[in-house]
Amino acid sequence: MTDNINNGELDALIDACLDGRLSDAEAERLSQWIEESSEARERYWELASVHGLIEQSMQSASVKAATGEEMARPPKAEGLFRWPRINAVAAGMIFGILSASLGWAYAIPLVNQTRRESTEIVFEDFEDPEMKLLGRFPTSANRWFGRILSVPGKDGITTVSGTRVGQFNTWPKTKLAYARYLIDLDEHPKPAEEHVRTVEVEASFFTSNPQEPSVFQIRLGAFSQEPEAVRPIWNDHETLFETVLQHVGRNYITEPGEQTGWHKLRAAIEIPTGTRSVVISLGAGNDEPGATTSEHFVDAVRVQLVDSFEQQD
Amino acid sequence: MNNPEDDSEARSATEEVQLLFVRHENSIRAFVRALQPSLPDADDVMQETFLTVSRKAATFEPGTNFAAWACGIARLKVLENFRQKKRGNVLSEAAISALAEDAPSPQLLSEIQDALEACLGKLTPKIRDLLWRRYSRRQSSDEMAEAAGMTSTAVRVALSKARVALRDCINSQLQRVR
């Protein structure tokens, strides 16, 4: 029977647990309290929820601090969740690098100033009418693959850049269509040792039928393998999850009637040591089964290598 | 080799639950992180949960509570991880099971997240910087101490106070709403 629970001691033990600082004896004591007391469990969840949720807020905030721009806020979801937090990936990996939906109202103050050096390494606005995309996934670096065609801007579609846009070609049985690109980091100067390298991708998406909810997606994956070796890994889920070094993504789901223009989506991936290849996957499609009347477009895809480092002021 | 891109039907069901997972990831992750405070372990559990959710895509009934379904899988993965690691200084399996039984609903977690956003704005810049280093950059206390010009102990105390302050602020916000 549990008695004499001291809330101060309980809070201290919970805090130590969340920080991984429990001794064996403390772990045993806290476990006993939790097993036997609903009040202890309630206090645990109060602190643990903060621990569990703050990470995502901070990671979203770090993106804002790095880019100086607000992340887009997706529309409110129907049903249980008031915010559809659409983070991370549609597959695997290290989660929570970006959060698409946090509406926070503060900027992260950096005691040491973080400096950024950016290099644009890809800009694609699908201006080449002869653009031929081969296969679904790149077998080599530096060119686009996938279900996308270069088409001229037409009625109702004002291009973001140039006179043409990329149009996704969704097969009847697939929810999303994809365009993919591989970066070979061996072709770029290596960052200094103390620098943190990220790849940042920005793309503008458009749906021809804003009355149907659409999904716009950017997924990024970092691999130690050379570009030619990534395709079979990407196509096998189990191998992918065991192999990928870092894998993040971002979805944006449109609210019927609200997405009437281009929507700019951004995603960033921190590049782990040993990364050779980075996959950029752009996807678009309908969010509801049976929705068939929307066409989806992409334009002005911009990819930057960003090296960040702290500089004392 | 299983090639999901060559199997449109299977991919459709899998893709559906993956999108749902992405949509509800914050709540699932908060659930996992609370039961599995260690970041690397939580990452492992999330990945395993995602894999299992993907494999079991066909067994999920559309229209039912996805977050609850996924958290049920996550709970088993936390326990599996716990059994594999067999560390001494963590909660007992019975304690983790009891906590999982009393976990807040996804809706409540969503409300907590809303309140958290507001409460973070009330912290001092220095404390927000520490939280950012701890939770975004995943820095150790020593690394944070060096960057912030504090001792490691002071960093740990500050983080602890920050979490308590956020908890109290969140409780206050939620009471105001209700």
Side-chain angles (χ1 to χ4, degrees):
Chain A
M1 181 70 189
T2 302
D3 54 4
N4 298 327
I5 291 183
N6 176 306
N7 282 343
E9 185 185 357
L10 177 60
D11 285 353
L13 289 178
I14 294 169
D15 197 67
C17 177
L18 297 176
D19 262 354
R21 292 184 282 106
L22 280 180
S23 67
D24 288 0
E26 288 171 333
E28 192 174 332
R29 185 166 176 75
L30 179 59
S31 294
Q32 186 185 355
W33 278 350
I34 287 172
E35 287 170 34
E36 298 177 0
S37 163
S38 60
E39 184 191 347
R41 292 195 288 276
E42 187 177 342
R43 287 188 82 85
Y44 182 94
W45 274 111
E46 284 178 350
L47 270 177
S49 299
V50 173
H51 181 73
L53 291 167
I54 197 172
E55 176 187 20
Q56 294 152 57
S57 298
M58 284 294 119
Q59 286 173 339
S60 177
S62 74
V63 173
K64 181 181 178 184
T67 63
E69 295 181 33
E70 291 278 359
M71 302 298 290
R73 181 174 177 145
K76 293 188 175 186
E78 295 177 356
L80 198 59
F81 288 80
R82 288 185 292 142
W83 291 0
R85 296 182 194 294
I86 299 162
N87 263 28
V89 223
M93 55 331 139
I94 308 294
F95 281 85
I97 302 302
L98 296 176
S99 176
S101 57
L102 300 172
W104 39 289
Y106 61 92
I108 288 295
L110 299 179
V111 175
N112 296 336
Q113 292 296 312
T114 300
R115 305 296 181 195
R116 287 161 45 93
E117 292 175 352
S118 302
T119 308
E120 185 169 289
I121 58 172
V122 178
F123 179 73
E124 180 59 65
D125 56 1
F126 306 96
E127 290 301 293
D128 179 5
E130 303 300 318
M131 187 177 194
K132 294 281 192 301
L133 299 179
L134 303 172
R136 297 180 192 171
F137 192 90
T139 50
S140 60
N142 303 327
R143 68 174 299 186
W144 290 94
F145 287 67
R147 300 183 196 282
I148 198 164
L149 299 169
S150 168
V151 298
K154 43 191 176 184
D155 291 345
I157 306 177
T158 306
T159 62
V160 179
S161 172
T163 59
R164 303 178 71 86
V165 298
Q167 178 175 2
F168 288 99
N169 177 20
T170 310
W171 280 22
K173 285 185 177 178
T174 57
K175 189 182 183 81
L176 301 182
Y178 299 99
R180 285 155 177 160
Y181 190 96
L182 265 172
I183 301 168
D184 185 350
L185 290 180
D186 273 6
E187 297 177 2
H188 301 277
K190 297 203 179 306
E193 196 167 321
E194 68 278 14
H195 290 195
V196 175
R197 172 163 284 184
T198 56
V199 169
E200 296 182 5
V201 179
E202 171 187 298
S204 294
F205 293 85
F206 185 89
T207 175
S208 65
N209 183 359
Q211 299 308 316
E212 287 184 338
S214 294
V215 180
F216 303 144
Q217 180 187 87
I218 300 176
R219 284 170 62 189
L220 307 171
F223 295 84
S224 60
Q225 288 78 8
E226 59 185 8
E228 292 74 14
V230 174
R231 182 178 181 275
I233 297 170
W234 184 274
N235 281 344
D236 186 302
H237 278 171
E238 295 214 19
T239 309
L240 169 65
F241 302 140
E242 290 166 1
T243 308
V244 67
L245 298 175
Q246 181 89 300
H247 190 178
V248 304
R250 184 132 187 268
N251 284 358
Y252 181 88
I253 302 176
T254 66
E255 183 86 343
E258 290 189 2
Q259 188 62 52
T260 55
W262 287 92
H263 179 81
K264 191 181 285 185
L265 197 61
R266 295 187 182 88
I269 184 170
E270 191 167 303
I271 303 301
T273 304
T275 299
R276 168 74 187 270
S277 303
V278 177
V279 175
I280 298 167
S281 174
L282 308 177
N286 284 112
D287 190 40
E288 289 180 348
T292 56
T293 59
S294 304
E295 293 178 322
H296 298 94
F297 304 87
V298 63
D299 201 7
V301 182
R302 209 176 288 277
V303 182
Q304 295 191 92
L305 273 186
V306 180
D307 292 335
S308 305
F309 53 98
E310 286 191 353
Q311 183 173 315
Q312 298 276 358
D313 276 351
Chain B
M1 177 183 288
N2 168 37
N3 185 340
E5 297 220 354
D6 290 341
D7 186 352
S8 298
E9 295 282 2
R11 184 170 176 79
S12 178
T14 304
E15 201 169 58
E16 193 68 41
V17 297
Q18 288 176 345
L19 281 171
L20 285 168
F21 192 95
V22 168
R23 177 175 291 190
H24 296 300
E25 189 254 341
N26 270 21
S27 293
I28 301 167
R29 186 169 179 83
F31 175 84
V32 168
R33 288 284 275 121
L35 295 176
Q36 189 75 79
S38 151
L39 270 170
D41 284 349
D43 286 340
D44 288 348
V45 168
M46 284 298 286
Q47 183 153 332
E48 286 300 317
T49 302
F50 182 84
L51 278 172
T52 303
V53 163
S54 299
R55 289 192 193 111
K56 291 180 176 290
T59 67
F60 174 67
E61 195 175 327
T64 59
N65 188 334
F66 176 81
W69 181 69
C71 284
I73 291 172
R75 171 177 171 269
L76 295 176
K77 294 300 171 187
V78 169
L79 290 171
E80 270 179 28
N81 186 274
F82 168 84
R83 290 182 196 120
Q84 285 168 2
K85 301 286 166 66
K86 276 285 177 195
R87 292 178 188 143
N89 63 336
V90 295
L91 295 177
S92 69
E93 187 170 339
I96 290 174
S97 293
L99 283 170
E101 293 294 326
D102 280 0
S105 68
Q107 183 174 11
L108 178 55
L109 284 173
S110 182
E111 289 175 7
I112 292 171
Q113 178 91 61
D114 286 0
L116 176 62
E117 302 302 330
C119 293
L120 281 168
K122 296 178 181 175
L123 297 176
T124 65
K126 188 169 185 177
I127 295 300
R128 288 205 299 269
D129 181 62
L130 288 179
L131 289 171
W132 174 71
R133 291 179 185 283
R134 168 75 173 84
Y135 287 98
S136 181
R137 300 297 303 273
R138 301 188 173 197
Q139 289 183 348
S140 67
S141 295
D142 289 343
E143 289 170 327
M144 292 163 62
E146 186 179 344
M150 302 166 70
T151 65
S152 297
T153 303
V155 164
R156 283 198 294 269
V157 170
L159 284 175
S160 174
K161 286 183 176 174
R163 281 195 290 258
V164 170
L166 287 170
R167 177 197 65 186
D168 294 344
C169 175
I170 288 167
N171 283 342
S172 167
Q173 295 257 340
L174 293 180
Q175 280 171 6
R176 201 175 303 155
V177 171
R178 287 168 179 163

